[in-house]
């Protein structure tokens, strides 16, 4: 569900109805624009009020119904509380029953129902209801297949189909077997890319604000999660209107892309924000603000990290936040005792469903203080300061390090060399990491194999790329295994489509 969670979670919340006729679009565009802008800026009460007003005037308003659905979804997704999920559950049941009464005469209503099922699947997945989320995805897929059969020229179906196809296509092994056994879901990564590219091309041929928002965001998400190209994803998302780029959710997405690109200073401008009373506070942005500041060795990082631990009502990323506070103590304050205090909190609070929380918990259980120089180099690398990270690493003779620290030293030298496109040096350090760290429970060898596969793939060396992606799948680290294997499987699927 990893790709589904990312793509549906950020993609569908920008979906506007594309079904109404030209004259109807003109009459509703102004109200729809206000509703969607409010939604994207997390002014959810305002968005719902505008949607209810429009539904009172036009009970068949697709835009208003979608804004209602996305508002419930966002509250559940962001707050992560049982109460928010229960509220969305009631809406999902009521809305799908009400909309089902007009499905037979209106295929666009069926698409809306499918999208609501996908949003509900994402919400359930975020709350750990993975099996039920799979069933809801299957319900959406069955609806979409019927529409596609009865209305083959209805291109809007491709939007939702692209999400399902790419998500299912990225699955492998037991996950794929279980999906095939219990659901009708099918598809490939290539199918999903072709479908969204088809819509993206048609948007360029016939520009429309409504097409732009939905298709640009979905295409950007595909570039990030399927193609693994955050730079392309950023270039695509920046095609949005400047006013939309300033809304809270688009700023969150841009900040995430900038962070992946090692542009921590720019990322802080997206993440580090104050929230107004009429906005639904997205505390995860404050956490990412703290992480980006920590990568810059900015002492104000502690304020954002502590805000998350004090205010976020949900269970996810709490362990990660305390881990980052522990790192702050170690590398900013030089306090090993402060590190230990915060790592004890990692053991006590929060959930461990997401990868970063699992990694934080494993670090806390190891009871081993990280090597300060290696940790500082890691954070500087993540923030894009490659020269300073390399300078710190070069100050250590790897021969004098412990076995684990020596493997990490080579891994981090490989990451820096890859970032500056020194492929031979990157290959040397990654090769050492895989050879010496292949039996370790740490993730370095697994990701080194993945990165070597990506390098070979980008250079057109497909056979070698397949070898390293398969090597990545053979390694079983304690941390990040799911996400690393998912990335390797996705790239193997792309190679299979060539």
């Amino acid at each position: 569900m990893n790709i589904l969670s990312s793509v549906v979670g950020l993609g569908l919340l920008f979906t506007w109805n594309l079904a109404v006729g030209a004259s109807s679009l003109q009459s509703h565009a102004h109200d729809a624009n206000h509703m969607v802008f409010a939604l994207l800026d997390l002014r959810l009460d305002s968005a719902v009020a505008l949607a209810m007003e429009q539904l009172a005037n036009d009970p068949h308003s697709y835009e208003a119904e979608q804004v209602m659905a996305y508002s419930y979804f966002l509250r559940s997704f962001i707050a992560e509380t049982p109460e928010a999920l229960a509220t969305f559950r009631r809406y999902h049941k009521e809305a799908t029953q009400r909309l089902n009464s007009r499905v037979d005469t209106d295929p666009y209503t069926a698409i809306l129902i499918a999208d609501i099922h996908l949003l509900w699947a994402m919400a359930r997945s975020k709350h750990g209801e993975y099996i039920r989320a799979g069933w809801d995805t299957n319900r959406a897929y069955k609806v979409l297949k019927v529409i596609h059969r009865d209305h083959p020229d209805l291109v809007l179906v491709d939007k939702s189909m692209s999400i399902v196809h790419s998500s299912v296509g990225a699955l492998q092994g037991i996950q794929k077997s279980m999906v095939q056994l219990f659901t009708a879901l099918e598809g490939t990564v290539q199918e999903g890319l072709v479908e969204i590219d088809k819509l993206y091309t048609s948007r360029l041929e016939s520009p429309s604000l409504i097409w732009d928002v939905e298709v640009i965001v979905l295409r950007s998400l595909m570039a990030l999660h399927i193609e693994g190209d955050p730079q392309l994803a950023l270039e695509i998302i920046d095609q949005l209107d400047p006013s939309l780029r300033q809304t809270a959710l688009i700023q969150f997405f841009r900040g995430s892309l900038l962070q992946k690109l090692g542009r921590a200073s720019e990322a802080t401008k997206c993440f580090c924000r104050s929230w107004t009373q009429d906005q639904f506070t997205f505390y995860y942005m404050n956490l990412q603000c703290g992480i980006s500041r920590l990568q810059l060795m900015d002492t104000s990082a502690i304020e954002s990290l502590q805000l998350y631990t004090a205010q976020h009502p949900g269970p996810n990323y709490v362990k990660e936040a305390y881990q980052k506070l522990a790192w702050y103590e170690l590398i900013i304050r030089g306090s090993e005792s402060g590190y230990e205090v915060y790592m004890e909190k990692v053991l006590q609070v929060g959930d461990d469903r997401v990868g970063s929380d699992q990694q934080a918990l494993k670090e806390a259980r190891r009871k081993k203080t990280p090597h300060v120089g290696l940790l500082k180099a890691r954070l500087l690398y993540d923030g894009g300061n490659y020269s300073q990270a390399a300078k710190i690493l070069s100050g250590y003779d790897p021969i004098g390090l412990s076995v684990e620290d020596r493997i990490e030293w080579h891994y981090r030298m490989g990451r820096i060399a890859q970032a500056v496109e020194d492929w031979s040096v990157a290959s040397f350090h990654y090769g050492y990491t895989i050879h010496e760290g292949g039996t370790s429970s740490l993730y370095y060898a697994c990701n080194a194999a993945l990165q070597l596969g990506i390098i070979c793939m980008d250079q057109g060396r497909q056979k070698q790329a397949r070898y390293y992606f398969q090597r990545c799948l053979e390694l079983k680290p304690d941390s990040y295994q799911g996400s690393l294997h998912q990335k390797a499987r996705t790239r193997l699927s792309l190679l299979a489509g060539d």
Side-chain angles (χ1 to χ4, degrees):
M1 297 294 292
N2 291 340
I3 294 177
L4 175 66
S5 296
S6 300
V7 176
V8 175
L10 285 173
L12 286 182
L13 58 88
F14 302 108
T15 304
W16 293 2
N17 173 54
L18 311 180
V20 293
S23 60
S24 181
L25 275 177
Q26 194 170 18
S27 62
H28 289 299
H30 183 74
D31 291 338
N33 289 352
H34 275 78
M35 283 192 298
V36 175
F37 188 91
L39 186 75
L40 294 177
D41 207 35
L42 293 178
R43 303 179 192 279
L44 300 185
D45 289 339
S46 296
V48 169
L50 289 166
M52 292 180 68
E53 181 180 344
Q54 185 155 320
L55 283 170
N57 296 325
D58 178 9
H60 287 204
S61 170
Y62 296 100
E63 301 98 323
E65 192 70 65
Q66 286 173 322
V67 166
M68 294 288 287
Y70 305 149
S71 176
Y72 285 115
F73 163 76
L74 283 170
R75 290 177 193 274
S76 172
F77 186 84
I78 292 172
E80 300 180 335
T81 62
E83 295 78 13
L85 183 67
T87 302
F88 191 10
R89 190 187 310 274
R90 288 191 295 271
Y91 168 79
H92 173 263
K93 181 178 180 179
E94 180 275 328
T96 51
Q97 288 177 345
R98 172 167 45 80
L99 293 170
N100 271 326
S101 64
R102 63 180 199 241
V103 164
D104 292 340
T105 58
D106 185 358
Y108 299 106
T109 297
I111 295 175
L112 176 55
I113 291 173
D115 285 350
I116 292 175
H117 283 324
L118 287 173
L119 284 171
W120 177 232
M122 172 53 198
R124 300 185 97 169
S125 177
K126 185 73 180 290
H127 288 261
E129 298 181 9
Y130 303 115
I131 294 176
R132 291 183 174 89
W135 291 342
D136 286 305
T137 304
N138 190 46
R139 292 171 70 186
Y141 185 58
K142 287 181 176 179
V143 172
L144 294 169
K145 283 189 72 174
V146 171
I147 305 169
H148 193 269
R149 180 198 66 200
D150 296 341
H151 306 274
D153 296 328
L154 191 58
V155 294
L156 181 57
V157 179
D158 286 341
K159 176 263 304 176
S160 301
M161 278 292 200
S162 71
I163 296 167
V164 177
H165 285 154
S166 57
S167 301
V168 175
L171 299 176
Q172 295 289 332
I174 188 64
Q175 286 182 312
K176 191 152 197 168
S177 298
M178 294 293 286
V179 165
Q180 291 173 336
L181 182 62
F182 293 108
T183 74
L185 295 171
E186 58 185 2
T188 67
V189 170
Q190 283 299 126
E191 279 184 280
L193 282 173
V194 167
E195 285 160 342
I196 197 62
D197 267 333
K198 178 180 172 184
L199 291 172
Y200 188 66
T201 301
S202 66
R203 177 199 67 83
L204 294 175
E205 293 172 353
S206 303
S208 162
L209 177 61
I210 290 180
W211 279 92
D212 275 355
V213 175
E214 179 177 19
V215 178
I216 286 176
V217 170
L218 284 176
R219 184 63 188 89
S220 178
L221 286 164
M222 290 287 186
L224 174 63
H225 293 287
I226 303 299
E227 297 169 284
D229 191 340
Q231 180 58 46
L232 175 60
L234 182 63
E235 291 170 5
I236 293 171
I237 203 69
D238 278 348
Q239 294 175 24
L240 285 170
D241 182 89
S243 63
L244 292 178
R245 291 206 301 270
Q246 295 306 310
T247 57
L249 280 173
I250 298 298
Q251 284 290 291
F252 164 69
F253 186 52
R254 291 192 78 255
S256 300
L257 294 173
L258 289 165
Q259 203 174 54
K260 288 180 183 298
L261 289 166
R263 294 158 62 176
S265 181
E266 294 172 78
T268 60
K269 296 175 183 177
C270 296
F271 289 136
C272 304
R273 59 186 297 138
S274 56
W275 298 95
T276 60
Q277 270 193 325
D278 61 337
Q279 287 181 298
F280 195 80
T281 306
F282 195 178
Y283 287 110
Y284 185 71
M285 289 181 69
N286 297 101
L287 171 60
Q288 294 307 313
C289 169
I291 291 173
S292 292
R293 284 174 169 169
L294 190 59
Q295 293 167 353
L296 297 168
M297 303 295 144
D298 184 340
T299 57
S300 66
I302 192 170
E303 300 165 9
S304 302
L305 296 171
Q306 288 178 334
L307 178 64
Y308 187 81
T309 58
Q311 299 294 330
H312 177 60
N316 291 319
Y317 304 104
V318 176
K319 292 183 183 299
E320 180 189 14
Y322 278 113
Q323 177 200 41
K324 298 306 185 288
L325 283 166
W327 289 3
Y328 180 95
E329 290 292 321
L330 198 60
I331 65 173
I332 302 295
R333 290 182 172 166
S335 172
E336 189 167 335
S337 62
Y339 169 85
E340 292 170 353
V341 167
Y342 278 121
M343 290 310 287
E344 191 64 30
K345 294 288 289 185
V346 173
L347 295 171
Q348 297 170 357
V349 298
D351 211 331
D352 64 345
R353 286 200 299 259
V354 298
S356 55
D357 285 333
Q358 293 167 6
Q359 192 276 332
L361 183 59
K362 288 182 175 70
E363 181 181 328
R365 286 173 173 167
R366 290 181 70 209
K367 302 289 186 180
K368 179 180 181 294
T369 303
H371 186 288
V372 176
L374 293 176
L375 180 58
K376 187 174 289 189
R378 171 183 179 174
L379 288 166
L380 288 166
Y381 164 83
D382 288 342
N385 194 338
Y386 307 128
S387 60
Q388 188 62 28
K391 182 178 180 181
I392 289 175
L393 291 176
S394 297
Y396 297 94
D397 181 354
I399 300 299
L401 299 174
S402 68
V403 174
E404 282 190 357
D405 288 345
R406 185 161 60 250
I407 292 169
E408 182 179 357
W409 186 90
H410 280 281
Y411 168 75
R412 302 222 173 274
M413 290 295 280
R415 294 294 279 158
I416 294 169
Q418 183 182 6
V420 299
E421 301 184 355
D422 191 337
W423 311 124
S424 61
V425 172
S427 297
F428 168 77
H429 288 293
Y430 283 152
Y432 181 95
T433 303
I434 296 168
H435 184 266
E436 297 297 324
T439 59
S440 170
S441 63
L442 300 174
Y443 70 92
Y444 307 127
C446 188
N447 196 32
L450 174 67
Q451 298 306 321
L452 269 176
I454 292 172
I455 291 171
C456 292
M457 187 175 177
D458 290 344
Q459 294 176 346
R461 296 154 57 200
Q462 295 186 358
K463 183 178 179 180
Q464 294 94 328
R466 288 190 183 91
Y467 168 80
Y468 285 117
F469 291 143
Q470 291 291 353
R471 186 76 180 101
C472 172
L473 294 174
E474 292 169 3
L475 299 171
K476 311 293 182 184
D478 285 346
S479 303
Y480 305 121
Q481 179 179 316
S483 61
L484 293 174
H485 284 188
Q486 184 71 65
K487 291 172 183 176
R489 286 193 293 265
T490 298
R491 283 164 177 78
L492 281 171
S493 297
L494 291 174
L495 285 171
D498 286 344

